[in-house]
Amino acid sequence: MTKYSSLSLIGGVLLCFFSYCAEPSDSTFKPNASNTFSFNPRIGLGIGMLSFFGDVGNNYNHHPTVSSIGYDLSISSRVLNNFDVNCNVLLGTMSASERSNNRNLNFQSDVSAVGFGVSYDFGHLFKKQPRVNPFISLGIEAFEFKSKADLYDAEGNMYHYWSDGSIRNSEETESNLATAKIIQRDYVYESDLRNLDLDGFGKYQERNVAIPIGIGANMILGKGFSCQLSTNLHYTFTDLLDNVTAESIGDRKGDNLTDRFLFTKVALSYSIGGKDDKFSDPSELDWQDLFLKDTIDSDLDGVPDLADKCANTSDSIRPVDENGCPEDLDKDGVPDLFDNELETPPFSRVSNSGIAWTDDLYMQDYLRWMDSTGEYNNDTDYEIERNSIKSSDLPYYNLRPRPARNKEELIVVLDGQQTGVEANDLSKYLHFKRFKSIQKGDSTFFVLGDIENRNEAYALLDQVKDLGYSGAQIVKASTKNGRTKLKRVKQPNNFVAPKDLPPLSKGMVYWVQIGAFTKTISHAVFSDVPGLVSLKGNDGFTRYLSGSFVDGKEAINRMLELRNAGYEKSFIRVFKDGAATTLAEGGFNVPEGVEDDPNHGDESIDGAIDKSMVSFTVLVGEFTATIPLDILDIFLEIGGIEPVTNSQTNKVQYVSGKYNNIYEAEEQMHLFQREGIENAYIVGLFKGKVISVNEAEGLLGQ
């Protein structure tokens, strides 16, 4: 059958199907009966995976992710309650490959099929029409196949499979042992299996019939659209899809079963005749029951359930507004029942008791939040007032929770793209208790974080500008779906900072430095270090620190944790009132004879980590999905390849070997390049993460 005759058959079948469905129903279908037929066509387009089950096969054929892609076009209509009829066209490719000590076979077949079927869902088992409805299906189809094999490479060399697992250009004989060359499959299926007539079957028919049996589920999306997930096993009446049967010759001999193939798909369909899949007649509806349902008021608050936005309100929180929610006349978000100020000025921030916040309340709140002296430790009234109303007191809040907001963070940017800091002037930044560094590409931004609201950010901005950071600004960082956007926030011209704010740079601050390196290392390399900041000095060293702490004991614990994690030369740095100071000044006991220099660590400390955690390896591939079969064959042949998951990109990276230096890794890289992996290159390994060679050499102090 030619391509044009196949298309003609498909078009004819679809025309017949439309003609049949468009004809008026016969007398057995009464106008008002529950089984009335109404043509309400749905057109669906699907994509899925074709898997082959037959005489030729290996461990990879039946896995959906390494099968071949197929496409499906369907037209369906409901004929009775729970029954659908459909006509569908399937186009796709299936293949199989088998390598063993006994035989080495492969094939690929282009398949086109057209058929009819009927499906039955289980909607009658549910009281209400379910959004996801399972079904079973049965059909019959005619299909055409064209099977070919990959027997030669691009140079015309025939594949010869040797007992050592290699593929060579000549037969396995002693005389060919020295001259036979190793070749690779090109996965181009060039040889027509019917024309080869390997088993004497002659010019057999490449058309046949199949019975598809399937299960699946339909999901209603709304507005006439629905999504279907299904799988169909097609039982054919031929054993020649792979050109291997029970009558084949020699090691090609197969079993007595006919070939089958599985099509697992996801499809999107649209109902042309309307948005409802049910065929209800208006005369069958119980209008009295519908009116009763429309006016039901389950919580007896005077608002029907269909209009009630706060269901199940109790008598204790009455009266309610037109939406069925507790009244809130001043619209401050606190129901009048719990509101201690019923006429709150518009747009005011209020406490949980509904009282508008004044400047004095803002100031008290800020001082309590910044409290480091313990002055407000015993002020329990403040905490009680802040938490006097809980969501459990307002049951309607729990029933209709507000959607979660995107994560938002305010920061004060001290400096823009910093590339060099005076090596002896680290205290300029590290004396801030909330100092952070943010890497964005090749640039590093120095910021103050952990800011709760804009008024606090405005106050911090005034303080850092007084300290000489004239270019400081407020930035809002919004995180959504793992992506962060930055937007500048302007300080109001009429903002007046509260008086007597605690000085920003006063007090003791502790940091733990893990090392100083001549080569810049990405923050992702030190992803296991909490509170990581980096400062690149104009002396050529980039310092990496963890912190900050206001308690020296916490700094000691962090230092011990980092040393146990392999950062062997981690040490504590102390800053007091805006300047670096000694360990003794920070409250530590320093043994006699030990130098206690405030700037200890500003000299080179390359190699500050356990060098056994750093190695070099060869990256041979990086994939987001399944490895292509031709690449997988090479991986299996060479062996010793391990997967490493990149948490930043969610890709799986495949590496080979661990070497102490880059020269040893080069030999393995050249081996892969000779085997066809031309993009293989050398990378570093650190704590199970793939890093660049430059970063690996930096960690090793090279």
Side-chain angles (χ1 to χ4, degrees):
M1 184 181 289
T2 66
K3 181 185 297 184
Y4 297 103
S5 61
S6 299
L7 293 176
S8 300
L9 174 62
I10 293 172
V13 171
L14 294 179
L15 180 61
C16 293
F17 180 72
F18 271 118
S19 301
Y20 167 76
C21 292
E23 291 180 357
S25 51
D26 60 35
S27 58
T28 59
F29 291 96
K30 304 301 180 183
N32 296 329
S34 62
N35 63 349
T36 298
F37 171 74
S38 175
F39 182 48
N40 187 21
R42 293 189 302 275
I43 296 181
L45 182 62
I47 183 172
M49 309 304 294
L50 276 167
S51 303
F52 174 75
F53 295 83
D55 300 292
V56 177
N58 60 28
N59 293 333
Y60 302 104
N61 291 339
H62 306 152
H63 197 292
T65 59
V66 295
S67 302
S68 301
I69 293 179
Y71 303 92
D72 174 82
L73 174 65
S74 65
I75 302 177
S76 63
S77 179
R78 177 145 298 190
V79 292
L80 292 172
N81 285 341
N82 307 113
F83 281 94
D84 284 3
V85 294
N86 66 79
C87 173
N88 71 288
V89 177
L90 172 64
L91 300 173
T93 302
M94 66 181 72
S95 62
S97 179
E98 179 177 334
R99 290 192 62 178
S100 66
N101 293 329
N102 299 323
R103 64 182 187 180
N104 295 274
L105 302 174
N106 64 74
F107 88 98
Q108 178 177 283
S109 183
D110 295 327
V111 178
S112 58
V114 59
F116 292 96
V118 60
S119 64
Y120 174 78
D121 63 39
F122 299 90
H124 66 284
L125 300 179
F126 304 93
K127 292 183 179 179
K128 297 182 180 180
Q129 183 179 7
R131 184 167 290 274
V132 179
N133 197 3
F135 67 86
I136 56 176
S137 64
L138 178 67
I140 185 170
E141 64 187 5
F143 72 94
E144 182 182 45
F145 62 94
K146 188 73 172 178
S147 300
K148 295 183 178 182
D150 178 21
L151 304 179
Y152 300 89
D153 66 7
E155 305 297 329
N157 298 310
M158 185 175 182
Y159 302 135
H160 295 273
Y161 298 88
W162 285 40
S163 58
D164 62 358
S166 63
I167 304 175
R168 308 201 180 211
N169 63 348
S170 58
E171 294 183 359
E172 184 175 5
T173 62
E174 291 186 4
S175 59
N176 292 336
L177 186 61
T179 59
K181 295 182 180 180
I182 294 178
I183 58 177
Q184 301 291 336
R185 280 187 59 189
D186 59 4
Y187 292 88
V188 175
Y189 296 84
E190 75 290 323
S191 303
D192 189 303
L193 287 171
R194 188 177 71 162
N195 293 337
L196 289 176
D197 197 15
L198 299 175
D199 300 309
F201 297 149
K203 298 291 185 178
Y204 53 80
Q205 289 290 328
E206 293 182 315
R207 294 181 294 276
N208 209 273
V209 178
I211 303 294
I213 301 175
I215 60 172
N218 282 311
M219 175 182 289
I220 299 175
L221 303 178
K223 295 185 178 180
F225 288 95
S226 62
C227 179
Q228 181 186 103
L229 179 64
S230 64
T231 182
N232 286 269
L233 184 60
H234 298 248
Y235 289 89
T236 73
F237 290 86
T238 179
D239 198 18
L240 292 168
L241 279 175
D242 54 7
N243 197 243
V244 175
T245 73
E247 300 176 0
S248 295
I249 301 172
D251 59 7
R252 290 176 46 80
K253 186 178 181 63
D255 55 35
N256 292 317
L257 299 176
T258 58
D259 294 330
R260 290 90 58 206
F261 60 92
L262 183 73
F263 183 47
T264 301
K265 71 171 183 178
V266 58
L268 181 68
S269 63
Y270 178 72
S271 179
I272 298 176
K275 301 178 182 179
D276 192 356
D277 285 336
K278 288 189 173 294
F279 302 94
S280 301
D281 191 282
S283 62
E284 302 174 23
L285 299 176
D286 187 342
W287 295 102
Q288 184 178 5
D289 181 62
L290 290 177
F291 283 128
L292 286 174
K293 290 180 179 179
D294 188 60
T295 58
I296 288 177
D297 180 14
S298 302
D299 55 5
L300 302 178
D301 62 356
V303 180
D305 288 353
L306 291 177
D308 199 334
K309 295 183 179 180
C310 299
N312 299 327
T313 52
S314 63
D315 294 338
S316 61
I317 53 176
R318 306 288 172 85
V320 298
D321 58 19
E322 66 276 6
N323 296 318
C325 298
E327 284 189 346
D328 179 18
L329 297 179
D330 55 5
K331 307 300 181 184
D332 62 356
V334 179
D336 293 348
L337 180 65
F338 303 101
D339 200 334
N340 293 334
E341 186 179 12
L342 295 177
E343 297 182 359
T344 304
F347 309 109
S348 298
R349 177 190 173 189
V350 298
S351 66
N352 288 340
S353 57
I355 299 176
W357 279 65
T358 63
D359 291 342
D360 290 340
L361 288 176
Y362 275 117
M363 185 62 190
Q364 291 180 26
D365 191 42
Y366 179 81
L367 292 176
R368 286 182 171 88
W369 182 83
M370 293 290 293
D371 181 30
S372 60
T373 63
E375 178 182 354
Y376 297 99
N377 284 350
N378 298 321
D379 191 356
T380 56
D381 292 339
Y382 172 76
E383 294 296 332
I384 292 174
E385 198 281 327
R386 284 285 297 259
N387 300 284
S388 58
I389 299 179
K390 300 178 181 178
S391 60
S392 58
D393 299 327
L394 305 174
Y396 61 95
Y397 283 166
N398 295 331
L399 291 169
R400 296 187 182 273
R402 295 180 180 178
R405 295 183 178 180
N406 298 331
K407 183 179 179 182
E408 180 176 292
E409 181 183 6
L410 290 170
I411 57 177
V412 174
V413 179
L414 300 177
D415 287 302
Q417 302 178 7
Q418 284 293 320
T419 56
V421 179
E422 289 290 339
N424 295 323
D425 196 22
L426 295 179
S427 59
K428 177 180 178 182
Y429 300 100
L430 296 179
H431 70 256
F432 293 119
K433 298 176 183 178
R434 292 183 283 181
F435 174 73
K436 295 181 178 181
S437 64
I438 300 177
Q439 270 192 350
K440 194 169 183 65
D442 296 330
S443 303
T444 302
F445 297 84
F446 297 154
V447 306
L448 298 182
D450 301 327
I451 302 173
E452 287 192 348
N453 53 65
R454 295 197 177 192
N455 284 325
E456 182 185 349
Y458 299 152
L460 285 175
L461 182 63
D462 285 344
Q463 291 194 59
V464 297
K465 284 186 175 180
D466 291 341
L467 292 174
Y469 298 90
S470 58
Q473 55 183 301
I474 301 172
V475 173
K476 177 178 69 175
S478 301
T479 302
K480 183 178 181 180
N481 299 328
R483 303 180 68 178
T484 301
K485 293 183 178 180
L486 301 179
K487 183 178 180 181
R488 182 178 177 182
V489 177
K490 293 184 178 180
Q491 185 184 43
N493 295 329
N494 58 353
F495 175 76
V496 178
K499 298 180 180 179
D500 302 326
L501 285 178
L504 185 61
S505 59
K506 289 293 184 181
M508 203 80 69
V509 182
Y510 303 86
W511 292 83
V512 179
Q513 182 166 316
I514 63 175
F517 306 93
T518 55
K519 297 183 178 181
T520 302
I521 300 171
S522 168
H523 280 203
V525 175
F526 299 125
S527 58
D528 60 329
V529 178
L532 180 71
V533 302
S534 60
L535 291 165
K536 185 175 182 179
N538 60 359
D539 57 352
F541 291 96
T542 301
R543 294 159 180 81
Y544 295 85
L545 304 99
S546 173
S548 61
F549 308 96
V550 295
D551 187 344
K553 293 181 180 179
E554 294 180 0
I556 292 176
N557 292 334
R558 177 64 57 80
M559 179 185 69
L560 295 177
E561 291 174 2
L562 292 173
R563 288 186 176 182
N564 290 332
Y567 303 99
E568 298 178 334
K569 295 185 180 180
S570 300
F571 62 92
I572 296 174
R573 304 198 65 171
V574 186
F575 299 87
K576 181 180 179 182
D577 296 340
T581 188
T582 62
L583 293 174
E585 184 70 19
F588 299 104
N589 293 324
V590 180
E592 294 184 6
V594 176
E595 183 181 2
D596 190 8
D597 183 1
N599 294 316
H600 170 63
D602 281 343
E603 69 278 4
S604 170
I605 321 178
D606 272 356
I609 65 170
D610 182 358
K611 293 186 177 181
S612 65
M613 298 189 303
V614 184
S615 60
F616 296 91
T617 186
V618 179
L619 181 66
V620 296
E622 186 175 33
F623 305 95
T624 55
T626 307
I627 307 175
L629 287 177
D630 54 339
I631 302 298
L632 181 62
D633 284 343
I634 299 176
F635 285 4
L636 294 175
E637 183 176 340
I638 296 178
I641 297 175
E642 299 180 358
V644 178
T645 301
N646 188 324
S647 59
Q648 302 293 318
T649 63
N650 291 324
K651 293 183 179 180
V652 179
Q653 300 169 305
Y654 293 86
V655 299
S656 175
K658 291 184 180 180
Y659 307 96
N660 295 325
N661 57 68
I662 196 171
Y663 305 106
E664 296 177 358
E666 283 183 349
E667 297 182 9
Q668 186 73 359
M669 178 186 68
H670 294 320
L671 170 63
F672 278 103
Q673 291 175 344
R674 288 193 299 270
E675 293 294 334
I677 310 297
E678 298 178 355
N679 295 328
Y681 62 96
I682 301 173
V683 294
L685 277 179
F686 177 62
K687 290 192 169 186
K689 297 188 292 286
V690 173
I691 63 177
S692 69
V693 171
N694 185 69
E695 290 171 331
E697 291 177 339
L699 292 174
L700 293 172
Q702 297 177 358

